[in-house]
Amino acid sequence: DLESQLGKKLDAANSYRKTIGLASSYDRKALLALYVKNASVLNDLKQYNDAIYASNEALSIDARNPLALTNRGRANDGLGNS
């Protein structure tokens, strides 16, 4: 059901945040993947400002990452930004 799905998404977002906090800044590829996945989940939860932040962090690692760009665009759309 919808409530269960939202709970799982919230759990995922919290897990990504914790893992990002523990991840080594030297493993930039892993950090990139975590930020991209976190941004996607945050978009699903309509936490658009947080999704933009996560997307920008991913883009600071790889400025051309298509998933990070897509996630940032989704978040801006959610906020009504063009």
Side-chain angles (χ1 to χ4, degrees):
D1 69 332
L2 184 59
E3 194 171 313
S4 174
Q5 288 177 352
L6 286 175
K8 287 179 183 177
K9 297 258 184 199
L10 282 170
D11 289 344
N14 288 329
S15 292
Y16 287 131
R17 284 185 188 121
K18 287 178 187 175
T19 305
I20 287 167
L22 297 172
S24 168
S25 61
Y26 297 105
D27 191 354
R28 297 178 61 73
K29 187 174 181 179
L31 278 174
L32 173 64
L34 289 167
Y35 280 122
V36 167
K37 290 177 182 181
N38 193 33
S40 179
V41 170
L42 291 167
N43 272 325
D44 291 344
L45 293 169
K46 300 184 184 333
Q47 295 179 11
Y48 300 121
N49 288 316
D50 291 335
I52 289 170
Y53 175 82
S55 297
N56 286 339
E57 290 296 313
L59 291 167
S60 74
I61 297 169
D62 178 1
R64 296 181 182 181
N65 185 278
L67 294 175
L69 291 166
T70 299
N71 284 330
R72 189 171 65 182
R74 282 181 57 206
N76 277 306
D77 284 347
L79 291 172
N81 300 333
S82 299

